Amino acid sequence: MAALNRVLRTRGLLSSSYTSAACRSYSPAASESERKFSFVGSIGNNKIPRKDPSERNVQWVFLGCPGVGKGTYASRLSNLLGVPHIATGDLVRDELSSKGPLSQKLAEIVNQGKLVSDEIIISLLSKRLEAGEANGESGFILDGFPRTIRQAEILEGVTDIDLVVNLKLREDILVEKCLGRRICTQCGKNFNIANINVKAENGNPGIYMAPLPPPAGCESKLITRADDTEEVVKQRLRIYNEMSQPVEGFYRSRGMLMEFDLPGGIPESWPKLLHALNLDQEEKQSVAA
């Protein structure tokens, strides 16, 4: 019941805070007096009948370069708000492990650092949304979709999106972070051995990200993802910059985009993200419950 009440309170928060004019920039590195929110428009009328936001859970999208941490923060918000976290990366990995008809084609695409085609992603996502609806799910947080204007247009045609959160991090730090990723072959959990400590210089703020080490039982069972080589990581980032960043403009023009500069690791970024989303009280009430 406590979780349900938190979701209901969040719906009310969304209707007053986001749906009128939700595009803004948020930089945690700035002081409170320097922080500026730039509202650039309002969400237009829907083309097809939709559920009123008060009758469903939140429907959010998380954008950002590969490795920025979309999955981490989307998953935390999913648990906080009681909505499913749907990561297209997980959908792809599940299909790869299933040895289904798409698995071999997907393996070639992923190992070469290329983006999976619209057709494949839409097919996998459609299956997941249909399964969720059949199981009584309401709302979602999408992670890794849409990546192209075409995907965004298709998504807009079938459902409402309340808010799009764009996580941002410097490219050199992204590369170092991705190269430190490790997976335990026994428990399947993700860890990171990179210890990132970049000093402030040339107007750029310093950033510290502590490693996320595995427990002793996992240390000897860690592996690196096949696509986490420096060459492939940089290729993914280049492709993202060329093909996916226009999606930011798509949502910015609709007044739905919130840009969030990550100030550091999870301990530094999580409370500031909650503050940007006006969810500080939700977290406190969740902990109290």
Side-chain angles (χ1 to χ4, degrees):
M1 181 62 70
L4 176 59
N5 288 335
R6 289 197 300 273
V7 172
L8 292 174
R9 283 193 296 271
T10 300
R11 289 174 183 165
L13 175 152
L14 284 171
S15 64
S16 61
S17 301
Y18 292 119
T19 55
S20 61
C23 182
R24 61 183 183 175
S25 297
Y26 183 91
S27 177
S31 67
E32 199 67 33
S33 61
E34 294 171 332
R35 192 170 293 136
K36 295 181 180 180
F37 296 93
S38 176
F39 293 86
V40 296
S42 60
I43 299 174
N45 294 327
N46 300 320
K47 297 178 181 179
I48 57 176
R50 314 298 175 105
K51 277 189 177 181
D52 188 282
S54 64
E55 299 176 358
R56 59 165 172 76
N57 291 335
V58 301
Q59 296 183 175
W60 290 356
V61 166
F62 266 65
L63 300 179
C65 290
V68 75
K70 297 186 297 293
T72 297
Y73 295 104
S75 178
R76 281 177 167 241
L77 286 167
S78 167
N79 292 330
L80 178 65
L81 300 176
V83 298
H85 167 215
I86 303 176
T88 53
D90 289 342
L91 297 180
V92 169
R93 283 185 282 275
D94 289 345
E95 186 67 25
L96 282 169
S97 63
S98 72
K99 304 300 181 183
L102 287 177
S103 61
Q104 184 174 350
K105 183 176 182 180
L106 280 173
E108 294 175 359
I109 293 170
V110 170
N111 290 334
Q112 292 172 14
K114 296 180 180 179
L115 292 179
V116 180
S117 71
D118 291 348
E119 289 75 15
I120 293 177
I121 290 294
I122 290 167
S123 174
L124 296 177
L125 181 61
S126 295
K127 286 169 57 178
R128 173 62 182 85
L129 290 174
E130 289 171 4
E133 185 176 1
N135 290 328
E137 290 179 352
S138 174
F140 52 75
I141 297 179
L142 293 183
D143 164 9
F145 184 92
R147 285 187 172 180
T148 67
I149 294 293
R150 180 169 177 248
Q151 291 178 357
E153 290 172 341
I154 293 173
L155 183 63
E156 185 179 59
V158 298
T159 191
D160 286 326
I161 298 298
D162 303 320
L163 178 69
V164 179
V165 180
N166 183 32
L167 300 181
K168 304 176 74 174
L169 191 63
R170 283 169 41 184
E171 183 170 321
D172 57 330
I173 297 174
L174 273 171
V175 172
E176 187 174 352
K177 184 171 178 279
C178 287
L179 295 181
R181 292 193 296 198
R182 299 292 186 272
I183 301 173
C184 176
T185 56
Q186 178 171 290
C187 69
K189 291 183 179 179
N190 293 287
F191 305 98
N192 200 303
I193 63 172
N195 186 14
I196 299 171
N197 190 5
V198 178
K199 304 298 183 183
E201 60 179 358
N202 301 325
N204 293 318
I207 293 181
Y208 175 68
M209 292 185 169
L212 300 173
C218 296
E219 287 180 349
S220 63
K221 303 175 180 66
L222 297 184
I223 61 171
T224 303
R225 279 171 41 173
D227 57 336
D228 275 348
T229 65
E230 184 170 357
E231 180 182 359
V232 171
V233 168
K234 289 184 175 179
Q235 172 77 346
R236 284 207 307 267
L237 294 176
R238 183 187 66 79
I239 293 174
Y240 180 87
N241 289 331
E242 290 178 355
M243 297 182 60
S244 298
Q245 283 189 337
V247 177
E248 298 172 18
F250 178 90
Y251 286 116
R252 185 179 293 110
S253 68
R254 284 156 171 75
M256 300 167 67
L257 186 72
M258 188 191 84
E259 298 185 294
F260 183 82
D261 292 298
L262 291 167
I266 295 172
E268 297 80 17
S269 299
W270 176 240
K272 289 182 171 63
L273 178 60
L274 291 177
H275 178 67
L277 293 168
N278 297 326
L279 291 175
D280 310 68
Q281 293 304 313
E282 294 297 318
E283 173 76 349
K284 291 177 183 177
Q285 291 158 359
S286 175
V287 171

